[in-house]
Amino acid sequence: MSVMDDSEYEHLTTSLTPHESAAGVTTYRNTVAIACPACDDPFDDLVICRDEYNSLELSMLLDLCVTTHNDETLLFTHKH
Ligand SMILES: [Zn+2]
């Protein structure tokens, strides 16, 4: 697992479209086809988890790429 630097984090969270925020989890839609920092393929959503423990209910089969920034966990989702 890698760690994301501040400028990359800023770029992501200001470029993406906020979608949902609840219980320590914020979801952004990748409407601008930014490449996933982990695998270089464009991702669908960025999910930022701020709490120590979070549960995600996934409604579909997804590939996930993971990184961290400070105390946050960032999940990049890729639909099959
Ligand atoms: Zn990825």
Side-chain angles (χ1 to χ4, degrees):
M1 198 190 298
S2 63
V3 175
M4 177 170 284
D5 67 34
D6 286 341
S7 64
E8 191 170 15
Y9 181 87
E10 277 290 311
H11 175 67
L12 277 173
T13 53
T14 55
S15 302
L16 301 174
T17 305
H19 178 59
E20 283 179 353
S21 190
V25 179
T26 305
T27 308
Y28 295 86
R29 285 273 152 86
N30 185 9
T31 52
V32 287
I34 294 177
C36 173
C39 72
D40 289 333
D41 286 337
F43 56 94
D44 296 304
D45 294 339
L46 167 62
V47 181
I48 299 183
C49 304
R50 294 193 169 78
D51 293 342
E52 191 169 353
Y53 298 102
N54 290 119
S55 298
L56 299 176
E57 292 176 24
L58 300 179
S59 56
M60 61 189 84
L61 198 55
L62 297 169
D63 288 337
L64 294 175
C65 294
V66 180
T67 188
T68 59
H69 175 262
N70 297 336
D71 291 336
E72 300 174 342
T73 301
L74 282 69
L75 305 174
F76 299 87
T77 71
H78 299 274
K79 289 189 192 95
H80 278 259

